[in-house]
Amino acid sequence: GLSDRLEEWATEYKAEGRQEGRQEGERLALQRLLTKRFGAIPAAYTDRISTASEAEVEVWLERVLDAPSLEAVFEPMA
């Protein structure tokens, strides 16, 4: 009945919130790592991070440790 549906919606809503929270956490982690490694990050890059897909953020997080420059982190994916 209705209570079952409400419970289902609540569960879905919580799962979406966790997913969004995790994505936001990854974006913040990426910005902190980039700042620690390369210094102040130009707004163009922080804008890209805030609008990037989850997959892009994951690639950039992997690259941040080995990339020789800030630009290299954001090179187009092959």
Side-chain angles (χ1 to χ4, degrees):
L2 181 60
S3 66
D4 291 337
R5 263 208 312 256
L6 288 173
E7 204 172 298
E8 202 175 293
W9 289 336
T11 302
E12 285 175 22
Y13 184 74
K14 276 193 263 183
E16 277 178 31
R18 274 198 301 272
Q19 177 73 5
E20 285 174 20
R22 192 176 63 75
Q23 288 177 3
E24 191 56 36
E26 286 183 348
R27 288 188 168 96
L28 290 172
L30 176 60
Q31 288 186 23
R32 288 172 66 183
L33 288 169
L34 289 168
T35 301
K36 191 164 177 61
R37 182 111 201 271
F38 302 111
I41 306 169
Y45 288 116
T46 55
D47 289 347
R48 276 184 74 185
I49 293 168
S50 66
T51 58
S53 71
E54 188 177 356
E56 286 175 310
V57 172
E58 286 177 11
V59 167
W60 296 337
L61 274 169
E62 287 179 16
R63 288 181 179 174
V64 76
L65 296 174
D66 300 321
S69 66
L70 183 59
E71 295 75 23
V73 173
F74 293 94
E75 282 175 356
M77 291 176 227

